[in-house]
Amino acid sequence: MSFWFYMLSCVDGSYYVGHTDDLERRLAEHQTGAFGGYTSTRLPVVLEFAQEFPTRDDAICRERQVKNWSKGKKKALAAGNWVQLSWLARGRDRE
């Protein structure tokens, strides 16, 4: 069984990160508001990034890591801009 770390962008410009063992189901729950919580009041949401992991612990570890990132680092991750992400990771984050 695989587990997923995922990042959504919300209509208000914020980001939401989470993990799941069924990415399609979880995205549908977020889109309909059935998941509740943070994203239910910031619809629609868009999947910006997803990464597959072999264990739930690995996915949770990634979620916790990215949850503490600035908006700038999350934007760079969503864009796949590894140069910018690396630059920001070295303490050059201005957002």
Side-chain angles (χ1 to χ4, degrees):
M1 174 180 263
S2 294
F3 297 89
W4 294 88
F5 157 76
Y6 64 94
M7 184 171 66
L8 307 174
S9 61
C10 301
V11 72
D12 66 357
S14 64
Y15 289 98
Y16 175 86
V17 298
H19 74 279
T20 185
D21 61 357
D22 187 340
L23 187 58
E24 287 185 31
R25 176 185 50 81
R26 183 57 55 89
L27 292 176
E29 290 170 344
H30 280 293
Q31 285 293 8
T32 63
F35 191 67
Y38 187 84
T39 59
S40 65
T41 61
R42 293 166 174 84
L43 295 174
V45 295
V46 174
L47 178 65
E48 295 290 345
F49 185 84
Q51 185 176 9
E52 190 173 10
F53 289 93
T55 69
R56 184 177 304 276
D57 286 343
D58 292 338
I60 290 171
C61 183
R62 183 66 162 158
E63 176 186 354
R64 288 180 180 154
Q65 176 190 34
V66 175
K67 192 171 280 202
N68 291 319
W69 285 4
S70 67
K71 188 173 183 179
K73 284 173 76 173
K74 290 175 185 172
K75 274 173 118 171
L77 177 65
N81 188 338
W82 312 121
V83 172
Q84 178 75 4
L85 186 57
S86 176
W87 187 78
L88 294 170
R90 290 191 297 265
R92 294 168 175 89
D93 203 341
R94 303 291 186 247
E95 289 190 271

